[in-house]
Amino acid sequence: MTLPDHHLTQGERRIRSFHPHWKQLIIPFVALILIVIASGVGMFFVPGEWQYAAYARIAIGVIAVLLLTIWSFIPYLQWKNTGYVLTSHRFTISSGVLNKSTDEIPLTKVNSVSSDQSFAERMLGCGTLTVESASEQGQLALRDIPKIQDVRADLFRAVEDVSDGEVDGK
């Protein structure tokens, strides 16, 4: 996912790979259900004896497909094509469906790692991970990170290993 193994440098190992938290898919899923129900009801109530009934049903279907594409399919593709990879040398953030954007933060440049969770995020096990690096980006806030405390601990451990010169536990 997002960083193929053949792109890893010699001695670099993958620690964790993940997508944003599934809560980003709640609204697209609700939109999917509502659009399907509304289009089904709309098609049901088009009078069968009406001379333009076929055209009305086709129009309802086309509008439903367009709305499903915009409000459900595209957000799903965005979620699916956003990925985070933590390796023993870097933290990579990739996003984009047609165009791809990749940010990499070398662990040697990371100054601090912190997390923030609202009450609802604590219940869902996700949160915002803030990585401060000595780069031109400065502070990077990553929202909806699943298993935030585990990711934070892994990232902090990897940063400590790199700063101590103990990459890969050696």
Side-chain angles (χ1 to χ4, degrees), residues 1-2 19-20 25 74-83 96:
M1 170 190 21
T2 67
H19 292 288
L25 297 176
I74 290 175
Y76 171 76
L77 285 178
Q78 290 171 336
W79 174 83
K80 187 69 175 164
N81 288 297
T82 298

Side-chain angles (χ1 to χ4, degrees), residues 2-3 9-10 14 16 22 32-34 37 40 43 55 63 73 75 78 80 85 91 98 102 126 130 132 138-139 169:
T2 67
L3 185 66
T9 61
Q10 184 177 2
R14 184 183 312 264
R16 182 181 288 267
W22 57 264
L32 175 115
I33 299 298
L34 292 176
I37 290 171
M43 286 187 186
Y55 295 118
I63 291 169
F73 188 61
Q78 290 171 336
K80 187 69 175 164
V85 178
F91 186 57
L98 298 177
T102 303
C126 64
T130 304
E132 186 177 330
Q139 202 174 52

Side-chain angles (χ1 to χ4, degrees), residues 116-130:
D116 182 40
Q117 292 177 292
S118 67
F119 178 72
E121 288 174 332
R122 287 187 70 194
M123 300 297 286
L124 293 172
C126 64
T128 300
L129 183 71
T130 304

Side-chain angles (χ1 to χ4, degrees), residues 40-120:
V41 168
M43 286 187 186
F44 179 77
F45 283 111
V46 171
E49 64 278 351
W50 186 40
Q51 69 181 25
Y52 298 111
Y55 295 118
R57 288 189 176 105
I58 290 171
I60 290 171
V62 167
I63 291 169
V65 168
L66 287 173
L67 292 176
L68 284 172
T69 300
I70 293 168
W71 289 342
S72 293
F73 188 61
I74 290 175
Y76 171 76
L77 285 178
Q78 290 171 336
W79 174 83
K80 187 69 175 164
N81 288 297
T82 298
Y84 306 100
V85 178
L86 175 61
T87 71
S88 56
H89 293 82
R90 57 189 156 164
F91 186 57
T92 304
I93 302 115
S94 300
S95 63
V97 177
L98 298 177
N99 298 326
K100 190 168 188 171
S101 172
T102 303
D103 292 323
E104 292 185 352
I105 303 171
L107 295 183
T108 55
K109 301 284 186 187
V110 174
N111 292 334
S112 67
V113 178
S114 62
S115 62
D116 182 40
Q117 292 177 292
S118 67
F119 178 72

